[in-house]
Amino acid sequence: MKTSSLTNPPLRSLRADRKTNATAIQAMSMEHRHIETVVKSLADAAAALEKGLSLNVQKLRTVVEFLRVYADQRHHVREETWFFPILTK
């Protein structure tokens, strides 16, 4: 059985560089691009499954962990801290 390439960049490469002078909006935009890349990999994985290909389970676990930790716990907290208060003014 063939194996699909479920892309998942290492988590360390997805962290915003604390040495940059990115604005809050730039940082959030960059994080959105990272999250979109990972979500696209899930769409690719689903397409591979529909073709009968097998997936690298460890990479799939890493993608799920990324979404759970980076997107949900880190990114969404930052949005709620930085942007949602502005929206309620």
Side-chain angles (χ1 to χ4, degrees):
M1 187 178 271
K2 292 183 180 179
T3 302
S4 78
S5 61
L6 176 63
T7 60
N8 62 329
L11 294 181
R12 69 180 176 280
S13 71
L14 298 176
R15 292 187 194 130
D17 186 350
R18 294 177 194 250
K19 295 178 183 179
T20 65
N21 292 321
T23 66
I25 291 174
Q26 290 169 329
M28 290 285 96
S29 292
M30 184 171 52
E31 289 180 11
H32 284 150
R33 299 305 78 77
H34 295 316
I35 293 165
E36 288 170 358
T37 298
V38 173
V39 169
K40 166 110 175 43
S41 74
L42 287 175
D44 293 344
L49 284 173
E50 288 176 350
K51 293 178 181 177
L53 302 174
S54 64
L55 300 178
N56 180 317
V57 174
Q58 185 54 47
K59 286 184 179 183
L60 189 56
R61 285 184 179 130
T62 301
V63 167
V64 170
E65 182 72 5
F66 168 84
L67 292 172
R68 196 176 62 72
V69 174
Y70 183 86
D72 194 39
Q73 294 176 7
R74 180 179 186 268
H75 174 76
H76 290 152
V77 168
R78 289 169 52 135
E79 283 181 328
E80 290 168 5
T81 301
W82 292 352
F83 294 109
F84 294 165
I86 294 169
L87 296 174
T88 61
K89 290 183 180 183

